[in-house]
Amino acid sequence: MPDIMNEIVWVRLTYPDKSQFCFHTTLSPSILKRYAILLKENSLPCLD
């Protein structure tokens, strides 16, 4: 199983109207640093 704390993973959000949005994300500090992304509280950064 992928580990969001250490790897890039796919996330699929499903909204109340049944539409969906898929994107790559991670919570890994080293990967986020490579992308020059500062992690905001209560968020998942989109790496796409």
Side-chain angles (χ1 to χ4, degrees):
M1 176 173 261
D3 178 6
I4 196 169
M5 297 303 294
N6 298 303
E7 303 174 52
I8 296 174
V9 299
W10 278 102
V11 170
R12 180 177 63 195
L13 301 176
T14 303
Y15 298 99
D17 68 356
K18 305 292 188 238
S19 63
Q20 297 179 340
F21 178 65
C22 295
F23 62 98
H24 286 102
T25 193
T26 189
L27 296 177
S28 166
S30 61
I31 296 172
L32 292 173
K33 187 176 179 179
R34 272 191 279 160
Y35 284 83
I37 294 174
L38 283 173
L39 186 59
K40 295 180 182 177
E41 192 173 334
N42 297 318
S43 68
L44 291 173
C46 181
L47 303 179
D48 296 327

